[in-house]
Amino acid sequence: GRHEVSPKMLKWKDRGTTKNLQEVVLGRCYNYITAQHPELGDKDCLKIWESLKDAFIYKNPCNITPEDYQPLMELASHPIPCNKSLFWSRTGDLVHRYTKSNQNFLTLEDTLLGYMADRISWCGDPSAPGINYESCPKRNECESNPGSVFWKMASKMFAEAACGVVQVMLNGSAEAGAFRSSSIFGSVEIFNLDPDKVSEVHIWLMQDIGGPQSESCSGHSIQRLVSILEERNFKIICEDNYRPVQLLQCVHNPDHADCRLCT
Ligand code: N1C
């Protein structure tokens, strides 16, 4: 006809709620428990989904509070073995490839809570149907959006649960520096490690193969991180291009000098 259908007004700048959110979250929950972690068999995935839904539906997506997520956090939490916690910042793809190939380490996305929420999005709307599938607020539109509040809270719990030796994978090719105090790692996780439970922090500083060598273990932002952690009484070891992880990068760059066995 002569009248164009106008695209629905996009209220927010981020992508909207993931289609089929309920099925995706339930499927991931059942997969995590039945196929990967049978020891968590008493978890109630339906209740977990309902507590996630209740945290945000029909709510203003700029007014989410940690209290909204408290029931979900309690239902989904489970023990994490000592010496296995692996934190990261700006290395999301590499770190998750690494934990898939090495069962000795666990990122937040390898716990039930992080596994269910990884790379999906969700937010509410005060009017029916209570879920906004068109758009969700970005962090710079409002801090207290469902995603930011969720990841901050899940990251805080993940850090509080850590014990023994913990590791963090940082990006030595990042332009803004490997350690940023505004990141979730820099603002939430390091301050929620318990010095009575965590003895050492091992930093794995990974540069892209052939990429910019923006920062090494002697770099400025790493020195800032080391002094914050030393002040909190942790023993620190920083390793440039930790070889077990570099070998995974080499899968895509087998002929590069850094990847050859004899140099
Ligand atoms: O802000 P960051 O990194 O330092 O956050 C990463 C840090 C990790 O150690 C995780 O334990 O905080 C935890 N974490 C996640 O696991 C996670 N999965 C997905 C924090 N954020 C996470 N996301 C999304 O990526 C989320 O939307 C958040 O804002 C970004 C953080 O990525 P970053 O800047 O690389």
Side-chain angles (χ1 to χ4, degrees):
R2 301 198 306 126
H3 301 280
E4 296 291 330
V5 176
S6 66
K8 200 166 185 174
M9 267 246 286
L10 292 185
K11 205 170 182 177
W12 308 108
K13 294 202 191 100
D14 225 340
R15 71 198 156 110
T17 301
T18 303
K19 307 283 175 284
N20 308 305
L21 183 70
Q22 171 170 352
E23 290 78 3
V24 171
V25 170
L26 275 175
R28 286 179 171 189
C29 182
Y30 287 123
N31 186 49
Y32 188 89
I33 286 164
T34 59
Q36 305 178 20
H37 297 271
E39 74 277 9
L40 299 180
D42 59 334
K43 293 283 176 199
D44 185 338
C45 288
L46 203 49
K47 248 183 154 171
I48 287 173
W49 155 249
E50 275 161 4
S51 64
L52 171 62
K53 187 179 68 177
D54 291 344
F56 74 95
I57 63 158
Y58 283 105
K59 292 184 184 171
N60 174 343
C62 285
N63 277 334
I64 299 302
T65 65
E67 289 69 48
D68 291 320
Y69 284 120
Q70 197 60 47
L72 169 65
M73 299 287 154
E74 279 164 23
L75 286 170
S77 79
H78 58 79
I80 293 158
C82 288
N83 307 314
K84 288 196 168 194
S85 300
L86 172 51
F87 302 96
W88 54 272
S89 194
R90 296 286 147 105
T91 52
D93 286 337
L94 185 59
V95 79
H96 296 127
R97 274 200 280 142
Y98 185 63
T99 59
K100 280 201 185 79
S101 73
N102 189 330
Q103 302 295 310
N104 289 324
F105 298 105
L106 284 177
T107 63
L108 175 53
E109 290 72 18
D110 300 301
T111 68
L112 174 58
L113 199 57
Y115 183 83
M116 289 188 298
D118 194 20
R119 287 168 300 173
I120 60 173
S121 83
W122 63 90
C123 69
D125 190 285
S127 53
I131 298 185
N132 191 340
Y133 289 101
E134 302 300 320
S135 67
C136 290
K138 257 193 162 46
R139 187 137 88 110
N140 63 8
E141 291 177 286
C142 56
E143 265 309 312
S144 297
N145 66 66
S148 296
V149 173
F150 173 88
W151 286 113
K152 272 196 192 154
M153 203 174 170
S155 302
K156 176 172 183 280
M157 284 185 42
F158 184 59
E160 285 169 346
C163 46
V165 177
V166 304
Q167 9 282 318
V168 58
M169 189 189 295
L170 299 178
N171 188 339
S173 291
E175 218 158 288
F179 173 69
R180 292 172 308 129
S181 18
S182 61
S183 66
I184 292 186
F185 173 69
S187 64
V188 177
E189 290 176 330
I190 55 175
F191 298 106
N192 283 286
L193 295 172
D194 180 351
D196 294 330
K197 292 197 302 181
V198 173
S199 53
E200 300 180 22
V201 180
H202 292 185
I203 302 166
W204 300 340
L205 186 51
M206 305 307 301
Q207 294 173 337
D208 298 343
I209 300 287
Q213 310 196 332
S214 309
E215 193 166 1
S216 69
C217 283
S218 55
H220 284 119
S221 83
I222 295 296
Q223 288 319 303
R224 270 195 290 120
L225 170 60
V226 167
S227 56
I228 293 172
L229 290 171
E230 278 176 347
E231 193 144 321
R232 303 203 60 224
N233 283 325
F234 301 112
K235 186 181 170 231
I236 321 299
I237 293 174
C238 182
E239 191 160 347
D240 284 304
N241 296 316
Y242 177 64
R243 191 69 176 156
V245 174
Q246 189 175 57
L247 290 171
L248 258 188
Q249 295 175 302
C250 286
V251 169
H252 304 288
N253 304 270
D255 299 327
H256 194 278
D258 293 348
C259 295
R260 289 207 290 264
L261 293 174
C262 308
T263 47

